[in-house]
Amino acid sequence: MLRRSLIPIAICAAIAGAGVASAQTGESISSSWAQVNICSPGQLGARAQLAGDGSSSQMSVRFTAQWLSPGGWVPVAGGATSPWQSAGSAEYTWGQAGWTYNLSLPAGHSYQLRAVAELQWTGENARTETHTTGTCTAGG
């Protein structure tokens, strides 16, 4: 029983992130989404796209890494929530940003992982949205 309670603590021993933002100009409005783009025993990467609306609002996103415990989804131990990442200006059709977590998973166990993305537009047309990535299985 003690070993099970230590699993969340061991899931994320070190956090290191790299935020990346890009924007695309164009006529049509895009949709916002979040997805897992790296899933391995050593890393969980998440990426989000924020739809621009032609305004001067600034777009940003932060991610929270979670694992599926017997009681439901919980944040990984360590620094589960990333800093806010800039996704650029809402003047553009869309902007993207991502974050990569360095994981330390116990050998011989597999875990279902996901990220929750908090999307934020500040300024002229301020608003927020929450998107959840799909899940992935790491470890084994």
Side-chain angles (χ1 to χ4, degrees):
M1 193 64 158
L2 177 60
R3 185 173 184 177
R4 254 184 222 214
S5 64
L6 294 177
I7 291 172
I9 295 167
I11 286 184
C12 189
I15 302 294
V20 179
S22 63
Q24 179 70 36
T25 60
E27 299 282 327
S28 62
I29 300 293
S30 276
S31 62
S32 297
W33 48 258
Q35 66 184 22
V36 168
N37 63 358
I38 300 171
C39 186
S40 71
Q43 291 187 317
L44 173 67
R47 187 159 197 80
Q49 176 171 292
L50 290 78
D53 58 13
S55 73
S56 63
S57 294
Q58 290 299 304
M59 303 183 297
S60 57
V61 61
R62 72 177 170 188
F63 300 92
T64 300
Q66 297 180 331
W67 71 283
L68 184 58
S69 75
W73 289 101
V74 295
V76 298
T81 301
S82 74
W84 285 100
Q85 301 297 305
S86 173
S89 172
E91 170 186 0
Y92 300 103
T93 305
W94 55 265
Q96 292 187 359
W99 188 258
T100 300
Y101 295 88
N102 289 321
L103 304 174
S104 179
L105 300 177
H109 299 280
S110 62
Y111 300 90
Q112 267 198 307
L113 303 172
R114 73 176 187 183
V116 175
E118 297 172 72
L119 285 53
Q120 176 178 273
W121 293 258
T122 56
E124 188 179 331
N125 293 330
R127 68 182 192 277
T128 60
E129 293 179 13
T130 302
H131 292 261
T132 303
T133 67
T135 62
C136 69
T137 302

